[in-house]
Amino acid sequence: MIEVKNIKKSYGDRVVLNNVNLQFQKNNITVLLGKSGEGKTTLFRIIAGIEAQDEGQVVIDNSKTTMVFQDNQLYPHLNVFNNLVLPQRVILKRNKKEATIVSESILKRLNIEYLKYSTVESLSGGEAQRVAIARALAMDKEIILFDEPTSALDRENTANLIGLLKNLKLDKTVLIITHDEEFSIGVADTIYRIECGEIKKA
Amino acid sequence: MDFQYIVEILPYILQGLKTTVQVFGFTLLLSIPLGILIGSVQSIKMPFINQGLSAYTWLFRGTPLLLQLYFGMYGLPAFGFTFNRITVAILIFTLNYGAYFTEIIRGSILSISKGQTEVSLSLGFTKSQTFFYVIIPQALKRSLQSITNEIITLVKDTSLIAAIALNDLLRNAKEVVSRDFRVEAFFVVGAIYLIFTLLIVDGAKKVEKKYAFYR
């Protein structure tokens, strides 16, 4: 079980998160559902360790989480393969051979081997997202956070993503924030609603 | 055109080219790393250091290069620093072009989206790793065209060193013109400058191709 306890966060006078408590299970898909401007993204950034909370506690190690961004943020100066390889080599100190083996097996798992030498610029929205997921998976983290993963996807790609996420939960813990109700119902094991900086279990 | 005359004056003009290339080469070699270094430091928020570095770029971009050369040649000795002419030329040109490169690099670094840093941190890069592996490569790529422009300007600016009595390409040509009362020498140096810049444009294209973002 992974826990977020009594998180508070304000920007100046504006309280964004007010005493947020959240639990999510390992090898489960937990969805945080809410409209934009309700503090979802802030909460996420705190869990991912990009931002610091004012009060409260995240009972997971930041080093065990990584985040897939809404706009993917692939590295445009590298091709798909090197987007996967660079972080492994620099952060995990994997040698070239190890990084290659890991990258290739992940590309295969996500059915995007054919994109190996593609440029980031040439990817479609759905492809870019898969590459971003592949890059996150290559880092061997326990928990993967997804920020609005359906925002750039059509119906078909959304259905594919749901399949992919359900496959991921076999060995990862997945936390998603979204405003997409239909997608939430399709993918989640647990759904929380976030409103005005507070969490309600749906 | 009297080709025999051109062949006659060419060796003296080419002697000037040697000085021009020397100042150009050393300036390039020193000012680009200087610009990358200072531009990088400036993109990190550090109040006092940033103010000092802003003063540097303001000083060197805000006064004529010619004035800076005069200061280096005739002003510095007043403070007890004496260098030979070519060293002064290279020093002043490096500081001057370093200031322009600083602004170019700083601007490019700041133009890279914040998301690139955030995603890198979330993957586990440290801040400095993010800077070296993610930000700087992209910033350099974005700077390439502006840097090429500056390099072309540098080729032509080297003619200013004649003002501190260095015999560069243009000065030698002018001496030939004054001596012989014939203008062919000007055409010759014009052609040499054009070939020089053509080589740079060509080289820049190759570099751009090699470091193309999307390959």
Side-chain angles (χ1 to χ4, degrees):
Chain A
M1 181 120 83
I2 293 143
E3 244 189 316
V4 173
K5 282 188 194 163
N6 307 323
I7 297 276
K8 285 186 188 172
K9 175 83 185 178
S10 322
Y11 294 113
D13 291 338
R14 204 164 68 91
V15 179
V16 184
L17 296 173
N18 190 14
N19 224 6
V20 167
N21 288 284
L22 189 69
Q23 296 164 343
F24 50 111
Q25 305 285 337
K26 279 189 177 171
N27 296 26
N28 255 341
I29 299 177
T30 308
V31 171
L32 269 173
L33 186 61
K35 297 192 194 93
S36 60
E38 303 278 11
K40 300 189 303 267
T41 302
T42 307
L43 178 60
F44 236 47
R45 292 162 65 93
I46 289 170
I47 296 173
I50 298 170
E51 230 171 297
Q53 64 270 36
D54 297 337
E55 280 177 45
Q57 207 186 351
V58 181
V59 197
I60 21 161
D61 195 344
N62 283 337
S63 67
K64 289 182 182 165
T65 67
T66 188
M67 181 162 160
V68 176
F69 283 58
Q70 186 173 354
D71 48 4
N72 301 315
Q73 293 291 349
L74 295 174
Y75 297 135
H77 59 301
L78 304 172
N79 66 17
V80 166
F81 183 63
N82 285 323
N83 261 273
L84 268 66
V85 168
L86 176 75
Q88 293 182 62
R89 301 222 37 199
V90 176
I91 301 162
L92 303 177
K93 311 280 179 227
R94 284 184 183 145
N95 65 36
K96 203 171 178 177
K97 205 177 153 196
E98 291 168 330
T100 302
I101 291 169
V102 172
S103 304
E104 280 171 350
S105 81
I106 290 171
L107 289 173
K108 202 169 177 188
R109 179 176 177 186
L110 301 195
N111 292 321
I112 47 172
E113 303 131 286
Y114 66 99
L115 295 175
K116 186 173 172 189
Y117 297 111
S118 299
T119 63
V120 167
E121 192 195 39
S122 68
L123 304 176
S124 72
E127 288 171 341
Q129 186 179 52
R130 284 191 175 231
V131 175
I133 295 170
R135 182 176 61 177
L137 284 178
M139 301 312 290
D140 276 342
K141 309 261 192 171
E142 272 175 40
I143 303 157
I144 302 187
L145 311 175
F146 288 85
D147 185 4
E148 295 284 2
T150 59
S151 64
L153 301 182
D154 56 21
R155 273 181 162 273
E156 195 192 329
N157 273 313
T158 302
N160 290 339
L161 176 67
I162 291 175
L164 169 58
L165 290 170
K166 286 190 168 166
N167 173 282
L168 284 191
K169 80 171 178 178
L170 298 176
D171 54 352
K172 303 282 171 193
T173 302
V174 177
L175 183 60
I176 301 168
I177 53 170
T178 183
H179 65 274
D180 185 339
E181 297 233 8
E182 203 184 320
F183 166 68
S184 312
I185 293 161
V187 76
D189 297 306
T190 315
I191 299 178
Y192 290 96
R193 282 181 190 278
I194 182 160
E195 269 167 44
C196 305
E198 290 180 39
I199 295 262
K200 287 163 193 152
K201 193 160 179 173
Chain B
M1 279 273 205
D2 179 351
F3 282 103
Q4 203 179 341
Y5 173 68
I6 289 173
V7 170
E8 228 170 77
I9 60 173
L10 207 54
Y12 187 61
I13 291 176
L14 289 181
Q15 242 177 50
L17 180 63
K18 215 177 110 192
T19 313
T20 296
V21 169
Q22 217 176 348
V23 172
F24 171 83
F26 276 107
T27 301
L28 206 59
L29 230 55
L30 298 171
S31 64
I32 291 183
L34 182 72
I36 294 174
L37 182 72
I38 300 182
S40 304
V41 173
Q42 268 203 322
S43 70
I44 312 162
K45 289 187 179 70
M46 292 189 292
F48 286 110
I49 295 171
N50 280 357
Q51 276 163 19
L53 295 176
S54 299
Y56 154 68
T57 55
W58 174 63
L59 194 68
F60 278 89
R61 296 197 311 160
T63 56
L65 179 50
L66 190 55
L67 174 63
Q68 293 162 21
L69 277 174
Y70 284 145
F71 182 80
M73 196 65 236
Y74 310 111
L76 283 183
F79 297 97
F81 300 104
T82 316
F83 304 106
N84 65 35
R85 290 168 198 283
I86 193 93
T87 310
V88 168
I90 292 167
L91 178 74
I92 297 295
F93 267 80
T94 297
L95 289 172
N96 182 284
Y97 273 80
Y100 284 95
F101 288 133
T102 294
E103 291 299 328
I104 291 171
I105 301 287
R106 187 181 70 97
S108 303
I109 290 173
L110 294 178
S111 77
I112 309 283
S113 110
K114 233 177 95 184
Q116 288 280 303
T117 302
E118 289 177 352
V119 81
S120 304
L121 296 179
S122 125
L123 285 168
F125 283 104
T126 63
K127 278 187 180 170
S128 59
Q129 286 169 342
T130 301
F131 194 75
F132 286 112
Y133 290 102
V134 177
I135 307 299
I136 278 285
Q138 293 184 53
L140 285 181
K141 169 65 176 66
R142 282 190 194 183
S143 310
L144 225 53
Q145 278 193 331
S146 312
I147 289 176
T148 306
N149 272 338
E150 287 301 322
I151 295 173
I152 289 172
T153 309
L154 173 61
V155 173
K156 293 167 293 175
D157 271 357
T158 51
S159 61
L160 288 172
I161 60 176
I164 55 169
L166 278 166
N167 279 66
D168 76 312
L169 191 56
L170 184 59
R171 183 183 164 116
N172 280 11
K174 190 167 170 282
E175 282 177 5
V176 171
V177 170
S178 314
R179 185 192 67 198
D180 298 345
F181 290 108
R182 296 177 65 159
V183 295
E184 281 91 335
F186 283 150
F187 288 102
V188 173
V189 281
I192 293 175
Y193 278 118
L194 283 172
I195 293 167
F196 203 153
T197 45
L198 195 66
L199 290 175
I200 289 163
V201 171
D202 212 47
K205 267 190 199 145
K206 285 198 180 109
V207 173
E208 228 164 283
K209 223 176 191 174
K210 191 172 171 200
Y211 293 99
F213 247 9
Y214 313 111
R215 57 183 155 148

